[in-house]
Amino acid sequence: MEERTKWTIYLTFLVAGFATGIGTMGLFPQFWLQYGITGLSVYLIFTLFFTYLAILEAESTQKTAYHFVELYTKLTRTSGMIIAILLAIMVFLSYYTANTALILLSPFLGTGALGRLIAKLILLAVTFIIITRAKEKTFLIMAGGSALFVIFAVITAIAFKTKIPAENFYLDLVKGMIFARQPLSLALLRDAAIRALYGVGLGFAFYLMIGSFMGRNFNSKVIIGTGVAIQVFIGIIATFTVIYSVAPGTPGLLLTYATGGEEGSIKFMEALPHVLANYQILLLMIAMSLFFAGLTSIVPTAEIGLQITQMLTGLSREKAATYFISFVVLLGLIDSYPPVADMMLQAINVFIFIGAIFEIYPILTKLKGQKSPIEHAIATVGAVVFALLGIYVMISEIKIGGYRVVSTVIAIVLLIIGIAIKEFGKASK
């Protein structure tokens, strides 16, 4: 196989693995069940739009000699934006590593504060080894893991379809839910946008990094478009996996899951071992699929954070990784307490709209000449959409009250950092 074709396949699976997180496997089915075919349609529209923005971002770094971090430190002189993204990545990894590791380790560690801490330390250690020891093979490892995950997810869906009895009244009822038409609402638009943002993976500078890696030799439209399409496919088959796993025997649990938000999703996952007590192999397959979904998002995200840290500090790769992972561990000590972890999660749910704007900023300013008027207009519309949705999500979080207000404050602090800091030490020289 030609080397370029081989790397195109690698990068496609890398994109698919990064985009397909635990949310695709656990929260997208919940969204579809709650909002029906209307929600799915809106989600797909947002996904197409965000995917095109991701392609524009990758192409912007493909066509320039700048490393993606230098777009902020040298070209636009907005170091604060990339620092804010780095801090958001640290927050994200501090709770997401625990959520991912506990998929396999919760029977042994529990889901309390100590269990969460031990789980995240184990997975952060694994991540550190991958990003420091693999070096130039890091991208190959990430792509290989993503390909394995996609295969595993498909096999899991097929296994559930063949093992679980298809003739069931509640199964037919739930299938009706996913094809039901629901009225458009601001809540639907908000939830569809969040799911699509996570589904594509905007907000963490991933596509800027990929563009720097690909250079001019690869077609980012094919790689990113196919990778995101695989993510959508995984979300759809994951929905049917969820339906077949629960609807025939415990329809009440599925309804709680569909309407219970993130808390309902947590209760669903906790109950799944009991529901599938007679299907241990299927239960293991779900657990492995969810674990790989988390891992294939964690390693690329850690790679982004490492590269930003390295470019900002001028340190060697290993030293930069040590500092980066150490800061994640420090945050992890704080958010091991489950309510604090949820507070951090909500903060990132708000910040991803801000981070998405920061990603587009170089395209709207110094790289404006690279783009056609239509592409520039689309990027501008994207920034406006992110701003409006971000404001709406902030208002929604504040109305909920409690720790959600703190989540919004954290996101606003990251916004201020992004706007206020213009230059940063060695990175701007």
Side-chain angles (χ1 to χ4, degrees):
M1 184 184 296
E2 187 185 81
E3 194 69 17
R4 182 177 174 182
T5 303
K6 187 187 300 182
W7 271 100
T8 296
I9 295 171
Y10 290 157
L11 291 169
T12 298
F13 277 106
L14 174 59
V15 171
F18 172 77
T20 309
I22 294 175
T24 300
M25 301 289 291
L27 294 177
F28 173 78
Q30 182 187 61
F31 167 82
W32 191 4
L33 286 165
Q34 182 177 359
Y35 293 112
I37 196 68
T38 307
L40 177 64
S41 301
V42 175
Y43 164 81
L44 291 175
I45 291 170
F46 273 125
T47 298
L48 284 171
F49 182 55
F50 294 162
T51 300
Y52 188 72
L53 291 177
I55 291 168
L56 291 182
E57 290 177 12
E59 289 179 343
S60 68
T61 46
Q62 279 184 284
K63 296 175 182 177
T64 179
Y66 288 103
H67 183 273
F68 78 95
V69 176
E70 293 176 328
L71 296 180
Y72 300 91
T73 58
K74 293 183 178 180
L75 187 63
T76 61
R77 299 288 177 175
T78 53
S79 296
M81 292 186 180
I82 202 66
I83 292 172
I85 290 174
L86 172 62
L87 293 174
I89 286 172
M90 290 177 175
V91 172
F92 172 78
L93 290 175
S94 71
Y95 67 79
Y96 196 75
T97 47
N99 294 348
T100 300
L102 285 176
I103 293 168
L104 297 181
L105 299 178
S106 58
F108 312 101
L109 300 176
T111 56
L114 182 60
R116 290 183 62 84
L117 178 59
I118 295 172
K120 74 176 63 179
L121 289 176
I122 292 172
L123 194 48
L124 284 171
V126 172
T127 302
F128 178 80
I129 291 170
I130 292 174
I131 62 178
T132 55
R133 295 292 179 259
K135 296 181 181 178
E136 70 276 359
K137 293 182 180 179
T138 300
F139 278 94
L140 285 175
I141 292 172
M142 290 188 287
S146 299
L148 180 63
F149 157 65
V150 171
I151 294 169
F152 214 91
V154 172
I155 293 173
T156 301
I158 294 171
F160 268 89
K161 181 67 174 67
T162 54
K163 294 289 185 181
I164 304 296
E167 297 300 325
N168 184 279
F169 169 76
Y170 293 110
L171 199 58
D172 293 335
L173 182 65
V174 174
K175 287 179 181 178
M177 289 174 63
I178 64 175
F179 294 108
R181 296 180 182 272
Q182 303 288 350
L184 278 175
S185 64
L186 288 175
L188 187 156
L189 292 172
R190 175 198 63 200
D191 292 347
I194 290 175
R195 291 272 60 83
L197 265 179
Y198 272 114
V200 176
L202 294 179
F204 292 144
F206 173 76
Y207 294 101
L208 294 175
M209 180 190 74
I210 283 293
S212 289
F213 179 78
M214 289 192 295
R216 298 172 182 266
N217 297 322
F218 294 92
N219 187 330
S220 57
K221 291 184 177 67
V222 171
I223 291 169
I224 296 172
T226 306
V228 173
I230 292 173
Q231 181 273 146
V232 172
F233 172 71
I234 294 296
I236 290 172
I237 64 173
T239 302
F240 286 95
T241 299
V242 167
I243 291 173
Y244 274 90
S245 66
V246 179
T250 52
L253 176 62
L254 190 64
L255 291 174
T256 301
Y257 165 74
T259 58
E262 288 165 2
E263 187 64 30
S265 180
I266 293 171
K267 290 180 179 178
F268 174 82
M269 292 301 175
E270 289 175 347
L272 209 53
H274 303 289
V275 174
L276 296 176
N278 296 326
Y279 299 95
Q280 290 297 313
I281 298 298
L282 296 183
L283 183 62
L284 178 62
M285 293 179 75
I286 280 187
M288 291 301 297
S289 295
L290 285 168
F291 176 76
F292 277 114
L295 186 63
T296 54
S297 295
I298 287 169
V299 178
T301 304
E303 177 66 27
I304 301 165
L306 168 58
Q307 289 197 27
I308 296 173
T309 303
Q310 193 174 8
M311 292 297 291
L312 290 176
T313 61
L315 296 171
S316 67
R317 182 177 176 88
E318 189 161 335
K319 284 185 178 180
T322 302
Y323 280 110
F324 170 68
I325 295 295
S326 296
F327 276 112
V328 176
V329 170
L330 288 175
L331 282 171
L333 294 174
I334 298 170
D335 67 19
S336 291
Y337 182 52
V340 179
D342 191 51
M343 181 181 73
M344 294 299 194
L345 182 151
Q346 300 304 330
I348 297 303
N349 280 347
V350 177
F351 175 80
I352 55 173
F353 294 98
I354 299 170
I357 295 173
F358 288 170
E359 283 182 341
I360 295 176
Y361 183 77
I363 298 175
L364 298 177
T365 54
K366 296 295 185 178
L367 298 178
K368 181 179 178 180
Q370 279 190 2
K371 305 300 177 185
S372 68
I374 294 177
E375 290 174 330
H376 187 264
I378 291 172
T380 303
V381 170
V384 172
V385 169
F386 293 140
L388 292 175
L389 288 170
I391 291 170
Y392 175 65
V393 171
M394 284 184 186
I395 294 172
S396 299
E397 294 293 306
I398 291 171
K399 284 183 177 179
I400 293 172
Y403 68 83
R404 297 293 187 96
V405 176
V406 182
S407 300
T408 305
V409 170
I410 293 172
I412 291 173
V413 169
L414 293 176
L415 171 62
I416 293 171
I417 289 172
I419 296 173
I421 299 176
K422 300 302 179 185
E423 296 188 3
F424 184 84
K426 294 180 180 180
S428 299
K429 294 179 183 179

